[in-house]
Amino acid sequence: MITLKQLQSFVKVQETGSFTVAAEELCLTQPTITKTVSNLEELLGVSLFAKQDLQRKRGIQLTDIGKIVYDQAVSVLQQIGHMEQSVKDYQQLSLGTLRLGISPLGGELLALALAEFYQYFPQVNLSLVEQGGEWLKDALLNNDLDVATLMQPVSNDFAYIELCNYPAMVVMNKNQIGKHTQKISLKSLQQAPFILFTANSLFASMIIDNCRNLGFEPNIICKTSQIDLLLTMVNQGMGITLLPLYYTNKFLSDQLVALPLVEPQLDWQMVMAWRKNRQLAPSIRASVKIIKKQFT
């Protein structure tokens, strides 16, 4: 099998025109480099240098086949050099892609972390995918994503960092509730028209599952992935919705009120997850480190 040392020695002899100079530049002895080139010739079954030129101590000349082998050897060494540089760039985060999955309600949480990641590693391509939690789980398991936001509970297939934990709040027009109402049970909403955040959200699935556990099917009149539209419809009195406290603190208007949901209390517990026992690329390790710092 042809070795990298043989190709390097052969090319260096041709470039310097001397076995002695080639040996010095490669930090080898002249007998070693002579033997290395000779072994390459034996392996190929051809002479690479014209023997008469070596005997007469004239300038080294390649044979016809030697010229062909030289051109290809140079190409191979260049490709190896490119490969080594690519690996170095990859390790130093000078290239690569971070494939990040974001659930419909999770994107805003990561804005600062993503901005910091880009600030430090602008050469890494950020590939963002917004999908529901079940899709994100499958994509992580199939290696179609590197990291993704998921809701607790998270299966043992994943390692994760905890991002946040906010209780679910019932949001409605303030004219729809009594003055002394301080909290709302899920059971009391069985006749209420629900406007839910997109159906592929694990948060919406959690609400629906808990309604069914209480023996009723929620009266869902609309589903939307546009949180502004959702709140506008609730503001107009079309129905009620449930959102994590994180969002109700940000988007409530004078006409909207958010009350704690009880019996049961439901929590929006978000994590950043990746497949357990997977060897993490440098870009993934860097993103996890930044996210962990942001959410500690």
Side-chain angles (χ1 to χ4, degrees):
M1 180 181 293
I2 297 175
T3 66
L4 181 60
K5 180 181 177 182
Q6 289 171 336
L7 295 180
Q8 290 172 329
S9 298
F10 167 56
V11 169
K12 186 61 72 174
V13 169
Q14 170 58 20
E15 290 177 346
T16 61
S18 166
F19 280 82
T20 301
V21 176
E24 292 175 353
E25 293 192 7
L26 292 176
C27 299
L28 300 171
T29 64
Q30 195 246 328
T32 298
I33 202 164
T34 300
K35 182 174 178 57
T36 301
V37 174
S38 177
N39 289 341
L40 177 60
E41 291 180 317
E42 291 177 7
L43 185 61
L44 295 174
V46 296
S47 294
L48 300 174
F49 295 108
K51 302 302 181 184
Q52 63 272 24
D53 292 333
L54 297 178
Q55 294 170 356
R56 296 173 186 174
K57 300 185 183 302
R58 294 169 51 191
I60 293 176
Q61 299 291 323
L62 290 171
T63 60
D64 289 341
I65 187 61
K67 295 175 182 177
I68 295 174
V69 173
Y70 171 77
D71 290 340
Q72 295 184 355
V74 169
S75 178
V76 169
L77 294 176
Q78 288 176 340
Q79 290 299 316
I80 292 174
H82 294 330
M83 178 185 68
E84 291 174 340
Q85 185 61 47
S86 295
V87 171
K88 183 178 179 180
D89 291 342
Y90 172 79
Q91 292 172 334
Q92 296 179 351
L93 293 175
S94 296
L95 55 74
T97 298
L98 176 64
R99 302 170 301 169
L100 172 61
I102 301 175
S103 57
L105 275 174
E108 187 172 338
L109 285 172
L110 297 176
L112 292 178
L114 293 178
E116 183 174 346
F117 183 86
Y118 178 77
Q119 178 183 355
Y120 285 109
F121 310 112
Q123 302 304 317
V124 175
N125 179 42
L126 279 174
S127 176
L128 303 181
V129 178
E130 186 178 24
Q131 286 286 351
E134 293 299 331
W135 189 96
L136 295 178
K137 288 179 184 179
D138 292 339
L140 286 175
L141 292 174
N142 294 330
N143 289 326
D144 294 325
L145 289 175
D146 299 315
V147 289
T149 59
L150 299 178
M151 267 187 65
Q152 291 277 35
V154 177
S155 74
N156 290 330
D157 296 316
F158 304 106
Y160 61 87
I161 300 169
E162 294 182 356
L163 300 182
C164 66
N165 185 351
Y166 290 96
M169 306 290 287
V170 181
V171 183
M172 61 180 66
N173 187 292
K174 66 180 182 180
N175 295 323
Q176 294 177 298
I177 63 169
K179 292 182 179 180
H180 302 293
T181 304
Q182 300 296 319
K183 54 189 178 180
I184 297 179
S185 69
L186 188 58
K187 185 81 170 179
S188 68
L189 298 176
Q190 56 185 316
Q191 301 299 325
F194 279 77
I195 303 172
L196 291 185
F197 194 76
T198 183
N200 65 358
S201 161
L202 285 177
F203 183 76
S205 298
M206 176 181 68
I207 296 167
I208 295 170
D209 290 343
N210 276 272
C211 289
R212 290 169 178 169
N213 290 340
L214 291 173
F216 71 95
E217 193 73 22
N219 176 26
I220 302 172
I221 63 170
C222 184
K223 301 171 185 175
T224 176
S225 61
Q226 303 295 318
I227 194 165
D228 290 336
L229 175 60
L230 180 148
L231 291 173
T232 298
M233 289 189 288
V234 175
N235 189 64
Q236 295 299 316
M238 289 177 58
I240 62 101
T241 192
L242 280 80
L243 287 173
L245 179 63
Y246 174 84
Y247 285 99
T248 62
N249 283 342
K250 295 171 69 70
F251 296 119
L252 285 187
S253 68
D254 293 339
Q255 294 299 314
L256 292 176
V257 63
L259 298 176
L261 178 72
V262 296
E263 300 177 3
Q265 176 180 315
L266 303 181
D267 295 311
W268 185 56
Q269 301 179 59
M270 293 293 296
V271 303
M272 177 61 73
W274 58 93
R275 203 182 73 179
K276 190 179 289 186
N277 300 322
R278 176 185 175 185
Q279 184 175 357
L280 300 183
S283 60
I284 305 176
R285 293 198 300 270
S287 68
V288 168
K289 182 178 180 179
I290 289 174
I291 291 169
K292 183 180 293 186
K293 184 184 73 172
Q294 288 278 352
F295 288 91
T296 298

